[in-house]
Structure formats: C-alpha cells, structure tokens
Amino acid sequence: MSYQPKRMRFGAFFAPFHNDRTSPTFALERDFELIQHLDLRDFDEAWIGEHHSGAYECIASPEVFIATAAERTRNIRFGTGVSSLSYHQPLVLADRIAQLDHQTRGRLIFGVGPGQLIADAYMMGIDPQRLRERMEESLDVLVRLLDGETVTAKTDWFTLNEARMHILPYQANLEIAVASAISPAGARLAGKHGVAMLSVAASSPQGFKALADSWQICEARASEFGKSVNRDTWRVVTPFHIAETREQARRDLEFGLLDMFNYFHKFGGELFPQVKDLDEAIDVWTTGGLGAFGVGIVGTPDDLIAHIEKLQNQSGGFGSFLSLVHNAADFEATKKSYDLVAQYVMPHFQHSNINRTASLDWAASNADRFMAEYMGGIEKAIKVHDDDMASKGKKVG
C-alpha cells in the first residue's frame, strides 16, 4: 500500500506559459491575480520558475516575483520553481534567498535545479552537459552556507574564500527541494543532502515510469550519506484542466491549446508534434504528452482524483500535488478549474469531510429517535403550560 499523507498539500507550478502576443506586464499581473485566487481557495503552495529565453516562460527572477506576490497574499507558501543553480554564484544566491525568506516571514521554499532551457545555457556559455554537475557543486556549498557555516571552496566556475552569509534565513530550517525529472540526478542529490524532491515531469511517459524508482534512489543515497528523507516532502507536478463535464473541459481548451502546441514545436523542434486541430491536440496531450510538460488531464474532478491516485500507486506515495499552470483555457475557465479542485479534489485527499460525513450518517440513522424525543419535548412543554393554566383556574385553549 502506498504512503497516504494525512493531509495532502496542493499547489501550482508557474513556469509560466504566456504567448508572445500578450503584453509581459499583463502576463505578470495575470499570474499575480491567479496566485491571489489560489490563496483565497486555500491552496498551499505556488512555485515560480526562472527562464531567460523563449518568451513564453517569461519570469526571469522568481525572487523578484515572489516578493510582490507575498505582499498580495496571506497564507500561501512560495517556492522558487526552480532557481537554476548553474547560472548563479552560490553566495550571492544564498543571500538573496535569505533576504526573501525574511520578507515573506518564512513562507519560502528554496527549489533548485540545473536549468531546463538549453537556450539559456547557450547564451551564458555553459556546456549543457555540465548543468547537473554544476548544480551539485553549487548545492554542496549552498546547504552549508544556509546553515551558517563558513565555506572555502573552488571549482572551475566559482570560488568561495571564507564565505559566510551575514544574514541567515528567517526560518531555522529553510526547506530545500531538488527538481527531479527523468534522470536520477535530482533524486540522488536530494538524498545526498536529505532534502525534499520535486518531480516536475511526473505525468510524462518517461517521468511516470521513473516515479517507481525515484524514491528508492533518494532513500538509498540518503542512507549512504547518513541523512534521512520524508515522503511527505515529495511533490509531483501534472498539467490538467477540469470542468463540470468532460465536454466542457474540452471546449474550454479551444482558447489556447493549439497555440501552446505551436510554441512547444517552435522551441523544441521535432521532439514535439505538430497537430492539425483541437481534437488531435487533446488526444496527443492526454496520451503521449508534451515531453517534460507531461500528459494532461482533461476532464472532471473525478478524472483528476483518479489520476492522482494513479500517481500515488506508481510512486509509492507523496505529500504534495502541484498543477503545472498553463494558458490553454481562458482566465475565467482556468479559475473555475482551480475552484473545482478546491471544492472536490482537495477534500478527497485531505480527508476534510470524514467527520462531516460520519456526523450526517449518525444523525440520519437516529432521526426517528431524535424526532420522537423532539416531539415529546414539545408535548411536555404544552402540558406544563396547560397544567399551569388549570392551577390558576384559567381556561386552556
């Protein structure tokens, strides 16, 4: 039986995806507004990406974005989704993260990864085949810096001389999460440092297959380095759009799914298929998926519940489920999709209604007894009144 969290957390992973005809100012404001909507619907987390090419994934600094989003929300936590470690001097990044943790009063999760877009690495003169190696070199010192250590280290791309953070994070134990996709690199690194794991391609065919081994790899590495890991900190990401009916969900995608397919084909080349119409796009998205973007769920709350249960069974269980945010549906339909998650999907996995259901069943099974006692109480009150009137010589009725 897979691990079942007492209360599964829900959140959203913002790459984000906005077509290149949309004003970037408008796009950013739309993301802020959606996060405010999620905060009001009791979603737990919002993860914000870092990208520097391609136009669609148009947030360059998750820290700058989170600083504003935190001011507009009350409870939702924020993850850097992810900070691309290969692009940053570790001490400078650590200082930015610590400052942001103070500004958010501890609502921050430090999500890290190697950097996903090869175009980003190319512009910076970084060998794409060294991204994961650089990520490990950076995280090895980041965990020490964030813990208050003084670090001296030298690699072929950064040097630290008696480096220490002059301000530590707001949280005593700032949570760190390592992105893991198809290769075992993320799982190995998460285990090495005893930190959380973020499976960003969980619903892609290869990513889904990798779920079966990811936690075992993570646990084995944790044991090797004397660390411990907890499934409750494991997060998996899936794209979806749901509506009250499957037909409505499909109609909603007329807004932008084809446009999204065109983007992936332009940016990813022949790895991503060209499609001729919406039906073919939905068929591809819900079966083979869009590479690391994953297989999408298009349907009802019950369809999404079934998918999450499938992911739990494949992985052995995790603590958080994140939606990969997209603009395949218009904004109102998108908000409605998240409303349905909050209304029906979250309660299923958070066991919100166990006592409510038990209370209703108990009241229903005792309804006849309770009603008899209720009516008996009314009859008793009438008799007390009648007896009182009779004792005073007054006519009753």
Side-chain angles (χ1 to χ4, degrees):
M1 182 176 178
S2 64
Y3 163 78
Q4 303 288 331
K6 187 173 182 180
R7 181 190 182 279
M8 183 179 286
R9 295 180 302 279
F10 282 78
F13 191 97
F14 290 73
F17 294 105
H18 294 284
N19 68 54
D20 56 353
R21 301 183 304 280
T22 300
S23 157
T25 307
F26 179 91
L28 291 170
E29 286 298 326
R30 180 202 178 285
D31 290 335
F32 287 132
E33 187 177 343
L34 182 55
I35 288 173
Q36 288 175 285
H37 187 79
L38 298 177
D39 185 46
L40 292 172
R41 299 303 185 272
D42 203 30
F43 280 77
D44 298 280
E45 300 172 355
W47 293 73
I48 313 302
E50 175 190 352
H51 301 94
H52 303 280
S53 59
Y56 267 54
E57 300 169 75
C58 57
I59 293 177
S61 171
E63 303 98 333
V64 172
F65 184 95
I66 290 170
T68 297
E71 291 292 321
R72 301 187 187 186
T73 54
R74 294 181 60 185
N75 300 308
I76 198 166
R77 298 184 71 206
F78 294 95
T80 55
V82 293
S83 294
S84 299
L85 298 190
S86 306
Y87 307 160
H88 304 286
Q89 213 282 353
L91 178 62
V92 176
L93 179 59
D95 279 338
R96 291 205 307 265
I97 292 300
Q99 177 180 327
L100 184 57
D101 197 35
H102 282 271
Q103 290 180 212
T104 62
R105 299 298 191 272
R107 282 197 279 157
L108 185 65
I109 307 159
F110 184 28
V112 303
Q116 181 184 14
L117 300 184
I118 301 304
D120 290 358
Y122 177 81
M123 290 193 298
M124 298 179 205
I126 301 170
D127 180 357
Q129 295 188 25
R130 290 206 57 214
L131 291 174
R132 287 169 180 80
E133 178 185 337
R134 288 172 67 131
M135 175 178 70
E136 182 165 4
E137 291 172 339
S138 177
L139 190 59
D140 284 349
V141 299
L142 276 166
V143 293
R144 296 171 60 195
L145 289 168
L146 290 165
D147 198 39
E149 291 186 34
T150 299
V151 179
T152 295
K154 185 175 180 60
T155 71
D156 62 355
W157 66 283
F158 71 78
T159 298
L160 296 175
N161 292 321
E162 300 180 26
R164 74 173 71 191
M165 299 176 62
H166 60 152
I167 298 173
L168 291 175
Y170 180 89
Q171 300 174 77
N173 295 291
L174 173 67
E175 185 176 8
I176 299 173
V178 180
S180 175
I182 296 168
S183 82
R188 288 173 58 85
L189 194 53
K192 177 181 179 180
H193 293 287
V195 298
M197 187 164 62
L198 175 66
S199 293
V200 295
S203 69
S204 70
Q206 289 176 296
F208 182 79
K209 184 178 179 181
L211 282 178
D213 300 321
S214 293
W215 194 255
Q216 284 70 28
I217 293 170
C218 186
E219 280 190 320
R221 287 283 283 178
S223 177
E224 181 182 342
F225 284 87
K227 304 290 184 178
S228 63
V229 287
N230 186 343
R231 280 185 180 270
D232 194 57
T233 67
W234 189 8
R235 297 162 173 91
V236 302
V237 184
T238 293
F240 65 81
H241 178 76
I242 60 174
E244 291 173 337
T245 66
R246 292 177 179 175
E247 292 74 22
Q248 183 61 55
R250 293 175 70 94
R251 285 195 297 270
D252 289 345
L253 297 180
E254 293 174 2
F255 174 80
L257 185 60
L258 284 174
D259 190 86
M260 195 169 71
F261 264 74
N262 289 334
Y263 158 67
F264 277 101
H265 182 71
K266 286 180 182 177
F267 203 66
E270 296 304 320
L271 290 174
F272 298 96
Q274 286 185 303
V275 294
K276 62 180 184 296
D277 55 32
L278 180 65
D279 286 340
E280 185 181 0
I282 292 176
D283 182 61
V284 170
W285 192 29
T286 56
T287 55
L290 281 172
F293 188 66
V295 173
I297 303 304
V298 180
T300 66
D302 286 342
D303 293 324
L304 184 56
I305 287 170
H307 176 71
I308 296 172
E309 290 176 340
K310 182 180 177 182
L311 289 172
Q312 283 184 303
N313 291 334
Q314 175 72 2
S315 66
F318 49 84
S320 299
F321 176 78
L322 306 179
S323 161
L324 184 58
V325 178
H326 54 80
N327 284 291
D330 71 21
F331 196 37
E332 292 307 312
T334 296
K335 290 190 291 185
K336 177 65 174 178
S337 179
Y338 287 109
D339 286 349
L340 291 171
V341 174
Q343 192 172 1
Y344 299 114
V345 181
M346 287 163 58
H348 179 86
F349 292 101
Q350 295 176 341
H351 314 294
S352 309
N353 291 321
I354 287 179
N355 274 28
R356 292 182 71 196
T357 301
S359 179
L360 177 60
D361 290 344
W362 173 78
S365 65
N366 288 279
D368 291 341
R369 176 169 65 90
F370 293 158
M371 186 55 66
E373 293 176 357
Y374 174 72
M375 294 305 298
I378 293 175
E379 291 169 2
K380 181 179 179 180
I382 293 172
K383 186 176 185 306
V384 168
H385 172 72
D386 290 349
D387 290 349
D388 182 54
M389 293 297 100
S391 70
K392 295 176 181 177
K394 295 181 180 180
K395 185 177 181 181
V396 178

